[in-house]
Every structure is written in structure tokens, then in C-alpha cells.
Amino acid sequence: MNECYYDKRMDFFYNRTKTDTADEWTGAQLIGVLCFGTFFCIFIFISNSLVIAAVVKNKRFHFPFYYLLANLAAADFFAGIAYVFLMFNTGPVSKTLTVNRWFLRQGLLDTSLTASLVNLLVIAVERHMSIMRMKIHSNLTKKRVTFLIISIWAIAIFMGAVPTLGWNCLCDITVCSSLAPIYSRSYLVFWSVLNLVVFFIMVVVYIRIYMYVQRKTNVLSSHTSGSISRRRTPVKLMKTVMTVLGAFVVCWTPGLVVLLLDGLNCTDCGVQNVKRWFLLLALLNSVMNPIIYSYKDDEMWATMKRMICCSSEDKSQERRSSRIPSTVLCRSTDTSGHYIEDGIIQGTICGKGDLGDKGNS
């Protein structure tokens, strides 16, 4: 019967697998790494919080697609938490960690990746449901969307906890990997192959959907006299999703390939030399997503900009309005979600650019 090593600290496993834990990370180099990581993590927290707040604040975003987009931002926010925990539990500190603390460190990263991946898969299903009917938004109810979001996080937490639940090498250290010294190599192969296959499936699905939308839009444009914005909106949403998916695949694929090579026990692949750079690339994905949302969606950017820049103006306007008789200053031109296809993302004129849904409050 194999001996188990649950009571050992991580230095035992790092020394056995000859894993470099960067003992030379001291002084200016360590401070630089911490400052660099802290800056990006703060940006991740603030920007993704703005995305979530924009979806909550703007009634034009109260549809399944944007709820799922907000959940993707929540996954990126969670990734920021995972990276903060990693920053203070890596380098020379890694060898001093207990087995449970190391499992927690890696579990947070695995959970954030799974949450983003499953969320993108659910968005693909939602886009397929709507696009096949040539609608901007699907008919998913809020209860179903809530159930999907809960399911996404349940799956993510479970996948992040799989090694802790038993698929590790603590009782058979001959199968321990190099990059993750208490993960079994068979688990790394399973984990990386599963994610890469899902990447490939989603890319194929989104390309097929996008080609279908383009074909249908070109056909309808020659037979209908509807507004140009109504015909282009499904394409714009698809471009946003495909850009997000493309960034996700580009940022995570190198790291997954390295894990796969390590799981296959490729001793000549130099995985130790590139692991930190690929982890940084994965971190950048959570930085890029909010930028993509704001760049690709004018309404999202307008809402976020108002929340950032116009809070003081809104407060001063509220003080002025309290001194004069109540008057309806503006009214949104889109008061019902049922007519979103007929007037998607219409601008409203209200003072100096207040949101239309403020007029309904």
C-alpha cells in the first residue's frame, strides 16, 4: 500500500520534482512583480465591477445575453481574487505552504477558468437560440437565466475542487507533475484536453453562427425596409462575443498546452521556463474583457462613462431639481422590452446625456 503525504509541506514535493520556486525573487524584482500584479488586479476589480453595475443600472441590458455577460465579468472579478491570492503565495513562499493552502491557491485559478469557459459555452447556446430565430435576444426567462448562472458556478467550484477530492498524487508521488507538484499527471492531461476540446467546439459553433447571421442579414437587407441598426445589431453582438472568445482562447491556450506537455511528462519541453509568462497572459484576459465590452458596445461604454464621469453632475442636478417644481424632463423612447428589436439601443436626449431609464424612475 502506497504511503500518503498529507502532512508534508510543499517544499517536500518541490524538491522531489526539482521545481523552480524562484528563490531569487527578492528585493526590487519581487517588488516589481507585486506592483505589476497589483495594478492589473485593481484594474480587473474596478472595470468588471463597472460592467456588472452597467448591466444592473441600464434597463436596456435587462436581457439574457447581458445577464450572462455580467456573469462573465463576475468570473473575471473572481479571477482577480485568485491572482491576488496567488501573488502572496508564490515564489519563495510556495515551499512554505501546506498542502491544503496550495490546493486552495490552484483551486481558485481552476474555478475562475472553468466559470469563464462554461459561461462562454452558455452564451453560445443563448446566441444560437436567438440567432436561429433572427432575434436580438432569446426568450429565456429570468428564472432560467438565474438557474444557468447558479449551475455555471456550481460546475466551476466542483471542477476547481476535483484534485482536492482525490485526483492528486499525494498517495503516489511517482505520478506527480512538475508544474503542479501535488497534481497527478493524468489529471493535468484530462484538464488541459477537456478545455482545449471545448475551445475548439466553441470556436466552430461561433463561426457557423456568425456565417449564418451574415448570410441571413444580406438576404433580408435586400427584401426589407427595416432600420439598418435593427439588421446590424445581431451581427454587432456576435462580433462582441467572438472577440471575447478569441481573446479567451489566445490568452489561455498556451498555458493549457504547457500543462498538457507537463502531464505527458515531456522533460525536454522547458515548461518551467515559460510558466510565469503564460500565467501572466491568462491574467491579461481578465483585463481585456471589460475593454472589449466598452469598445464593441456603444451603449455599454456610454453607461460606464456616465457612472465614472457624471456622478458629481447627477448629484448637482438632483439638488437643483429639488428646488423647482417636479417636471418630466425626459422620457425613454424604449419603455418595453418587447420592442427591443424595433428600437434597439436608441439614444435618448435628457439634459446633458442622462440615461433614458432615469426618466422612468
Side-chain angles (χ1 to χ4, degrees):
M1 184 176 180
N2 293 332
E3 181 182 359
C4 296
Y5 299 90
Y6 293 101
D7 58 337
K8 297 290 185 180
R9 288 192 175 271
M10 289 305 301
D11 58 343
F12 171 81
F13 301 97
Y14 279 118
N15 292 335
R16 188 186 179 283
T17 58
K18 299 180 181 179
T19 302
D20 175 24
T21 55
D23 290 323
E24 71 276 7
W25 278 20
T26 56
Q29 186 178 11
L30 179 61
I31 294 174
V33 170
L34 291 177
C35 291
F36 186 77
T38 300
F39 171 79
F40 278 110
C41 286
I42 291 174
F43 181 84
I44 288 171
F45 292 144
I46 295 176
S47 58
N48 285 286
S49 297
L50 282 173
V51 173
I52 297 171
V55 173
V56 173
K57 182 180 179 64
N58 194 333
K59 292 182 179 179
R60 295 188 182 90
F61 295 151
H62 291 185
F63 293 93
F65 172 79
Y66 286 104
Y67 292 145
L68 294 171
L69 205 65
N71 192 52
L72 187 60
D76 287 327
F77 187 95
F78 184 84
I81 297 175
Y83 291 128
V84 169
F85 190 84
L86 174 65
M87 275 195 305
F88 293 98
N89 291 276
T90 191
V93 182
S94 297
K95 287 187 175 183
T96 66
L97 298 178
T98 62
V99 167
N100 290 332
R101 192 172 182 86
W102 194 94
F103 272 135
L104 175 62
R105 189 188 81 172
Q106 299 305 122
L108 291 173
L109 292 173
D110 294 345
T111 299
S112 66
L113 168 61
T114 305
S116 298
L117 182 62
V118 178
N119 204 93
L120 283 170
L121 189 59
V122 173
I123 290 177
V125 175
E126 191 275 339
R127 287 293 83 199
H128 186 272
M129 292 172 58
S130 59
I131 293 302
M132 291 302 113
R133 298 180 177 89
M134 286 307 295
K135 292 184 178 181
I136 297 172
H137 297 291
S138 65
N139 294 325
L140 287 173
T141 63
K142 288 186 177 180
K143 288 185 178 179
R144 291 181 178 178
V145 174
T146 302
F147 173 77
L148 288 173
I149 291 175
I150 294 174
S151 299
I152 289 169
W153 285 102
I155 294 172
I157 293 172
F158 173 76
M159 292 301 295
V162 166
T164 309
L165 298 176
W167 200 345
N168 54 60
C169 64
L170 292 176
C171 294
D172 187 7
I173 58 176
T174 61
V175 298
C176 289
S177 70
S178 174
L179 291 178
I182 56 176
Y183 276 12
S184 172
R185 288 197 298 269
S186 61
Y187 174 75
L188 288 188
V189 172
F190 162 78
W191 171 257
S192 54
V193 170
L194 176 64
N195 285 282
L196 290 172
V197 169
V198 175
F199 283 4
F200 178 77
I201 292 174
M202 284 197 299
V203 169
V204 172
V205 169
Y206 276 116
I207 290 176
R208 287 176 61 87
I209 293 176
Y210 183 73
M211 292 174 64
Y212 175 84
V213 170
Q214 288 283 42
R215 185 170 63 252
K216 285 292 184 180
T217 302
N218 292 335
V219 171
L220 291 175
S221 62
S222 60
H223 296 285
T224 62
S225 57
S227 67
I228 296 176
S229 63
R230 185 172 70 247
R231 294 197 300 267
R232 289 182 178 174
T233 298
V235 179
K236 290 174 64 178
L237 291 181
M238 281 304 304
K239 286 182 177 180
T240 300
V241 176
M242 291 185 68
T243 305
V244 171
L245 176 62
F248 186 81
V249 171
V250 169
C251 290
W252 280 99
T253 298
L256 291 174
V257 171
V258 167
L259 288 178
L260 177 59
L261 293 174
D262 187 36
L264 296 174
N265 201 22
C266 180
T267 56
D268 299 326
C269 296
V271 293
Q272 291 289 344
N273 299 327
V274 296
K275 64 177 183 179
R276 297 186 191 92
W277 299 108
F278 289 164
L279 182 61
L280 177 61
L281 184 62
L283 169 64
L284 290 178
N285 178 241
S286 298
V287 175
M288 292 168 60
N289 282 343
I291 299 174
I292 295 172
Y293 305 149
S294 59
Y295 178 75
K296 288 289 186 178
D297 194 321
D298 295 337
E299 184 77 5
M300 177 71 72
W301 168 241
T303 305
M304 293 171 64
K305 186 167 63 174
R306 288 186 181 96
M307 289 190 296
I308 296 173
C309 303
C310 301
S311 58
S312 59
E313 181 179 340
D314 291 342
K315 291 179 180 179
S316 63
Q317 187 173 14
E318 288 175 3
R319 287 196 296 269
R320 290 196 301 270
S321 62
S322 64
R323 299 190 186 100
I324 61 175
S326 177
T327 305
V328 179
L329 299 177
C330 66
R331 187 177 182 88
S332 172
T333 60
D334 182 14
T335 59
S336 174
H338 296 293
Y339 299 100
I340 191 70
E341 285 85 1
D342 295 326
I344 191 71
I345 312 180
Q346 295 286 337
T348 57
I349 301 176
C350 176
K352 294 184 179 180
D354 290 342
L355 285 174
D357 54 3
K358 286 182 69 176
N360 296 331
S361 59

